[in-house]
Amino acid sequence: MGYTILEKQELIPGQTTMMVIDAPQIAAKARPGNFVMLRASERGERIPLTIADRDSARGTITIVFLVVGKTTAELAALNQGGEILDVCGPLGRPTHIENSGTVVCVGGGTGIAAMHHIAKGHAEAGNRVIAVVGARSRNLLLFCTELSAFCPELRVATDDGSAGHKGFVTEVLKDILDSGETIAEVVAIGPVPMMEAVSRVTLPYGVKTTVSLNSIMVDGVGMCGACRCTVDGKTLFACVDGPEFDGHAVDYAELKARLWQFREQEQGAMERFSKECRCDG
Amino acid sequence: MAEMKTKRKIRPRVAMPAQDALARAGNFNEVALGYSREQALVEAERCLQCKTPTCQAGCPVEIDIKGFITALCDDDLAKAYDILRQTNSLPAVCGRVCPQEHQCEGACVLGRKHEPVAIGRLERYVADAFMRQTGDTPDACRAATDLDACIPSRPERRVACIGSGPASLTVAGYLAGRGISVDVYEALHEPGGVLVYGIPEFRLPKAVVAHEVDGLKALGVTFRCNWVGGKTITIDDLFDQGYGAVFVGVGAGLPRFLGIAGENLVGVFSANEYLTRINLGRAYDHLNHDTPAYHARRTVVIGAGNVAMDAARTALRMGSSEVSVVYRRSEAEMPARREEIEHAVEEGVRLRCLCGPLSFHGDNQGCLKGLTVQKMALGEPDASGRCSPVCLDGQTEQIPCDMAVIAVGTRPNPILIEATPDLGLNKWGYVQTDPDTGETSIPNVFAGGDIVTGSATVISAMGAGRRAAQEIARRLL
Ligand SMILES: Cc1cc2nc3c(=O)[nH]c(=O)nc-3n(C[C@H](O)[C@H](O)[C@H](O)COP(=O)(O)OP(=O)(O)OC[C@H]3O[C@@H](n4cnc5c(N)ncnc54)[C@H](O)[C@@H]3O)c2cc1C
Ligand SMILES: Cc1cc2nc3c(=O)[nH]c(=O)nc-3n(C[C@H](O)[C@H](O)[C@H](O)COP(=O)(O)OP(=O)(O)OC[C@H]3O[C@@H](n4cnc5c(N)ncnc54)[C@H](O)[C@@H]3O)c2cc1C
Ligand code: SF4
Ligand code: FES
């Protein structure tokens, strides 16, 4: 009774996978900024993944994930035509999108995929979207073609300079902020240090900055508080109050500490999974 | 036994066989093992068969207690089960988790001078023994409801339940038994509500809940897991799809925190998170399941209800060598079932009463290292009749710990409520209903259980479900 994988594509071999999943009830309701909770198998863990795109006519949602541990590895091992046991959503508050002028959407690593859906939403609302994408190297960039389709400007930064600016997305962002164009909002999705750095850059310019927090989640529907984070001194639940928050108000140090809570157990699960895979193979 | 009856000598209550305290603190198997047939018969004979029994009124769903005990004494198991099922659709669950000392047993005549009849244990015995006798297949339909009707006889009459806790399960059983087609929408991947994600295996085995759910499936009830009311589907959508009535039984799952310093340190969890990882995620069997749970040497649990006791006893089983329960009042005020407190203490949980949590402190990695508590004394009784705690100025204590579990209650979950602006709420933010019918401010939308009352009991959620189901049936049939 699972959810069928209609398409599977390895975007970055051995690292990042994209899947198009048949889930009409979710596709009908999904908005930019929403995520799903999914479980690959009966004994697996529920994990959150952002809805990177949706096609309500076809009844599909797209997820893009980086293999970092057991669940993402197990997912990546599934094939086209296979099934994901549980997919629950769309969850979280959708991105607040209104016609506001120019919006800069910054994506780092796998976060580019999540940013894509939000950038698309802003473009559909009539905003001029400047996309800024960053990765370690050219071959790790995602969704550039898709973004180019609706972003009049696509700026690239790579650590090694193999594409675009050699350096960080924050440096490109600073250029844009200095260019004199009025920026209504900056949206940043990616690794926590990147979102923190983006928020630090935009603060002196007084530009509204939205970040999407990837805190640890258990149910994804407000029942456990695992995903709680401190924003503006208040405890909020990323799954029901977020996942997007004011980047200038988030306590990033706390978020980083909380992301590592289960490191040992996660490694245990991964080691067992790799062993099982080898036995099977 | 017949001669006992004539002499009316009151025997002591038959003790519940239980796993040895030391052994059980190291496993997740059920603690209370249940009566044997002989034990059940001896205990049943203790019932005085009062002309005007007071116990029945003590039960929130008014089970004919005298009736089922009489049937048991007559060795008519099927009849005893039948009587239970007439008003209680989950007797195997209630026999295990009801706070009987405040309900049926608290009202038992025998209890005035002696120990009351062990009504809950007998209820559990009847349910378990009947299930064992009928097995999984033959009478699943009969076992799940008080009527025979396995295929919805009126499939055009459709009812949707949102949430799959005891309130919704009761609605589903009642209506399906009357031929109505019921679909239950549940946000998590497994039906049962708190019965699966909250109450631990050692108190309520998952198999007992699964058996009840299977019985409902056999009756034609459909469970749609991973459907979030208000997100995947709204109440308006449900009516558009042709449902004649909607029952909202989403519980009160949003955990409260204390609002004190250090609460987001690594190692501080809500009881819901801790228990959900271990129960729903089966983290107690971590070698075979992926969901991780935190392992701590010294655990502090804050609160003193059933949830706190469950968390404390779970922490022991997960390997904590020191577990203490921190509570502002004294042991006498603890809201947990008496049996749970006793079991916890036997297993080695330390009760630290008259201590109010002040702040958590951690190391430079953001990990919990200890809890500072304020010492308290009991003052005058407050409006609720319980003595309110007062601070003893300047007296604080440091409790070293590497895990803290907060079990100080819950609030209504906002998801469905925010998505349904027309749904009237009371001043505490719970759903407002007509007390007789359970109907909300939206016509043909009913609600019951914790989402109406705030965190309460399994049996009260079931009672609310039953009242709503009766009204729904009246309107649809
Ligand atoms: C709202 C939200 C949206 C996300 N969207 C995406 C996405 O589109 N693509 C993507 O690749 N990743 C996304 N993530 C992160 C993703 O959920 C984690 O990478 C994933 O859970 C790792 O699971 P694992 O078993 O493979 O790894 P593990 O070995 O379990 O963990 C590796 C690391 O992943 C994080 N993590 C582990 N479990 C969880 C959990 N239950 N919830 C959140 N984080 C966890 C922790 O930091 C951990 O140290 C998102 C997270 C959130 C909260
Ligand atoms: C740890 C613990 C121990 C307890 N011990 C006892 C005890 O010993 N005795 C006793 O009588 N009571 C006990 N209780 C209380 C009792 O379990 C509850 O009062 C009872 O379960 C409430 O039933 P309910 O049907 O209202 O909701 P719940 O059991 O809370 O079920 C609600 C269900 O709805 C789902 N849901 C929530 N939102 C949505 C949505 N938007 N869409 C779809 N589904 C949704 C939830 O996932 C959940 O499965 C305990 C509670 C806890 C947490
Ligand atoms: S349902 Fe609960 S209160 Fe009613 S008789 Fe059974 S144990 Fe007692
Ligand atoms: S993930 Fe449980 S409350 Fe957010």
Side-chain angles (χ1 to χ4, degrees):
Chain A
M1 212 216 66
Y3 297 74
T4 309
I5 302 164
L6 299 178
E7 287 169 38
K8 174 185 173 183
Q9 200 186 330
E10 236 183 320
L11 298 181
I12 303 169
Q15 288 190 24
T16 308
T17 303
M18 177 173 87
M19 285 177 174
V20 177
I21 303 167
D22 181 42
Q25 72 276 21
I26 303 178
K29 301 277 172 155
R31 297 289 169 270
N34 285 144
F35 64 95
V36 290
M37 291 298 293
L38 55 80
R39 207 165 64 120
S41 64
E42 198 53 60
R43 291 166 170 229
E45 184 182 3
R46 278 170 78 93
I47 62 157
L49 292 176
T50 307
I51 299 174
D53 204 354
R54 72 179 192 285
D55 184 336
S56 41
R58 197 176 160 212
T60 60
I61 57 167
T62 302
I63 53 171
V64 176
F65 55 90
L66 178 68
V67 174
V68 294
K70 157 74 206 282
T71 312
T72 42
E74 194 182 4
L75 265 184
L78 296 173
N79 289 318
Q80 186 173 326
E83 285 189 347
I84 300 175
L85 183 62
D86 297 301
V87 183
C88 175
L91 302 173
R93 287 185 203 275
T95 310
H96 179 77
I97 294 178
E98 58 185 355
N99 190 317
S100 54
T102 301
V103 176
V104 181
C105 293
V106 188
T110 320
I112 303 171
M115 179 272 269
H116 161 264
H117 199 199
I118 296 170
K120 196 172 170 185
H122 275 293
E124 280 166 5
N127 291 325
R128 179 177 131 80
V129 180
I130 304 177
V132 181
V133 298
R136 263 176 293 124
S137 186
R138 171 187 207 103
N139 60 332
L140 302 179
L141 289 167
L142 304 170
F143 275 75
C144 289
T145 323
E146 288 85 346
L147 285 165
S148 305
F150 52 80
C151 300
E153 269 186 60
L154 172 68
R155 310 277 288 266
V156 176
T158 49
D159 293 4
D160 62 2
S162 52
H165 171 78
K166 180 174 189 312
F168 296 125
V169 285
T170 40
E171 291 150 11
V172 177
L173 175 64
K174 197 160 185 314
D175 272 355
I176 298 171
L177 292 167
D178 285 334
S179 73
E181 182 173 352
T182 310
I183 306 296
E185 183 178 353
V186 172
V187 180
I189 305 188
V192 179
M194 174 272 213
M195 296 190 286
E196 185 178 13
V198 164
S199 304
R200 214 179 304 122
V201 167
T202 58
L203 187 63
Y205 296 84
V207 176
K208 176 181 171 193
T209 302
T210 303
V211 296
S212 180
L213 302 190
N214 55 343
S215 49
I216 289 187
M217 295 187 175
V218 176
D219 55 293
V221 289
M223 279 159 34
C224 74
C227 62
R228 66 194 190 276
C229 41
T230 302
V231 181
D232 210 7
K234 284 200 293 283
T235 296
L236 296 176
F237 289 7
C239 69
V240 288
D241 301 316
E244 292 172 14
F245 293 104
D246 173 3
H248 297 140
V250 170
D251 182 340
Y252 293 100
E254 179 186 282
L255 177 66
K256 280 185 255 180
R258 292 184 59 80
L259 278 171
W260 286 109
Q261 289 179 78
F262 294 102
R263 193 185 334 206
E264 278 169 39
Q265 290 98 317
E266 285 157 357
Q267 280 167 357
M270 188 60 196
E271 279 160 22
R272 283 193 302 279
F273 181 66
S274 334
K275 264 196 216 129
E276 280 166 28
C277 284
R278 272 201 298 274
C279 298
D280 290 346
Chain B
M1 251 162 268
E3 101 252 44
M4 290 292 313
K5 238 182 171 171
T6 47
K7 283 178 93 188
R8 280 276 171 255
K9 183 171 153 257
I10 307 297
R11 290 192 182 211
R13 203 176 217 232
V14 178
M16 183 63 137
Q19 266 197 78
D20 170 69
L22 257 178
R24 74 191 189 223
N27 69 49
F28 274 85
N29 300 334
E30 192 168 16
V31 167
L33 300 171
Y35 281 159
S36 65
R37 177 168 172 275
E38 292 67 33
Q39 289 169 318
L41 288 177
V42 172
E43 183 61 29
E45 290 287 346
R46 289 182 69 234
C47 176
L48 302 174
Q49 301 292 336
C50 307
K51 241 196 224 111
T52 40
T54 46
C55 51
Q56 186 165 354
C59 169
V61 296
E62 300 193 18
I63 290 185
D64 174 9
I65 295 168
K66 178 176 154 185
F68 101 79
I69 293 182
T70 309
L72 187 57
C73 290
D74 297 342
D75 217 5
D76 189 347
L77 192 61
K79 184 170 175 207
Y81 186 73
D82 227 52
I83 295 174
L84 289 175
R85 295 292 316 210
Q86 276 165 22
T87 50
N88 184 335
S89 48
L90 305 171
V93 174
C94 289
R96 286 175 166 84
V97 305
C98 268
Q100 289 98 0
E101 66 268 33
H102 302 304
Q103 302 181 358
C104 48
E105 294 177 17
C108 170
V109 172
L110 201 55
R112 288 183 206 153
K113 291 217 180 95
H114 307 270
E115 288 172 300
V117 176
I119 300 169
R121 296 172 186 174
L122 291 176
E123 181 180 20
R124 167 179 168 177
Y125 168 77
V126 170
D128 288 2
F130 184 77
M131 301 271 189
R132 271 196 300 273
Q133 205 177 67
T134 52
D136 288 332
T137 34
D139 243 355
C141 166
R142 182 91 194 144
T145 181
D146 36 336
L147 288 176
D148 308 283
C150 264
I151 306 147
S153 53
R154 297 161 184 265
E156 74 291 357
R157 308 283 156 89
R158 296 168 67 216
V159 172
C161 295
I162 308 180
S164 65
S168 286
L169 294 182
T170 305
V171 171
Y174 186 93
L175 295 176
R178 282 157 182 79
I180 293 174
S181 138
V182 183
D183 296 330
V184 179
Y185 293 88
E186 166 58 49
L188 297 175
H189 52 254
E190 199 174 320
V194 168
L195 307 182
V196 293
Y197 81 72
I199 304 182
E201 179 76 15
F202 56 83
R203 211 148 66 75
L204 179 61
K206 309 262 163 330
V208 172
V209 183
H211 194 280
E212 301 289 359
V213 169
D214 287 346
L216 292 174
K217 285 182 186 162
L219 265 177
V221 174
T222 312
F223 287 89
R224 294 207 165 145
C225 290
N226 302 317
W227 285 70
V228 185
K231 292 283 184 191
T232 324
I233 195 156
T234 63
I235 289 180
D236 282 345
D237 294 338
L238 291 169
F239 284 118
D240 288 346
Q241 291 182 12
Y243 289 98
V246 175
F247 179 80
V248 176
V250 294
L254 193 91
R256 277 181 202 278
F257 285 90
L258 295 158
I260 63 176
E263 202 159 26
N264 295 347
L265 286 166
V266 170
V268 183
F269 299 93
S270 75
N272 266 13
E273 175 178 356
Y274 188 61
L275 292 171
T276 301
R277 286 181 176 279
I278 292 166
N279 294 321
L280 185 73
R282 313 287 197 271
Y284 60 83
D285 182 17
H286 190 55
L287 287 179
N288 293 305
H289 295 83
D290 300 337
T291 304
Y294 208 65
H295 291 275
R297 213 159 57 77
R298 284 190 287 216
T299 300
V300 164
V301 177
I302 296 154
N306 287 321
V307 184
M309 295 304 145
D310 283 345
R313 297 172 69 195
T314 298
L316 274 182
R317 286 163 172 76
M318 294 296 289
S320 279
S321 50
E322 267 175 49
V323 178
S324 44
V325 165
V326 167
Y327 182 48
R328 289 186 307 152
R329 305 180 203 238
S330 76
E331 193 181 333
E333 282 81 28
M334 288 191 165
R337 292 178 75 212
R338 200 66 237 159
E339 187 181 65
E340 307 315 327
I341 301 172
E342 283 161 12
H343 278 158
V345 170
E346 281 166 25
E347 288 164 12
V349 171
R350 170 162 175 208
L351 306 181
R352 289 180 190 257
C353 295
L354 296 167
C355 289
L358 275 183
S359 62
F360 295 105
H361 32 97
D363 59 16
N364 54 10
Q365 311 279 319
C367 294
L368 179 69
K369 282 283 156 276
L371 168 70
T372 305
V373 295
Q374 164 75 58
K375 300 294 239 172
M376 312 286 239
L378 278 190
E380 296 296 305
D382 62 11
S384 70
R386 293 193 301 180
C387 293
S388 46
V390 288
C391 296
L392 294 174
D393 267 350
Q395 296 194 34
T396 61
E397 189 188 335
Q398 300 257 359
I399 306 176
C401 56
D402 41 7
M403 178 164 81
V405 181
I406 301 175
V408 294
T410 51
R411 289 183 289 143
N413 188 303
I415 292 182
L416 184 71
I417 289 174
E418 280 179 13
T420 322
D422 294 343
L423 200 61
L425 306 179
N426 65 20
K427 64 176 169 184
W428 299 281
Y430 294 98
V431 174
Q432 181 94 49
T433 57
D434 176 327
D436 296 326
T437 61
E439 192 167 28
T440 65
S441 57
I442 308 176
N444 296 318
V445 175
F446 297 78
D450 285 2
I451 189 58
V452 172
T453 55
S455 198
T457 58
V458 171
I459 190 69
S460 60
M462 290 174 54
R466 190 176 171 83
R467 278 191 298 283
Q470 280 166 340
E471 178 63 16
I472 295 172
R474 200 183 62 75
R475 290 194 195 175
L476 293 189
L477 295 177

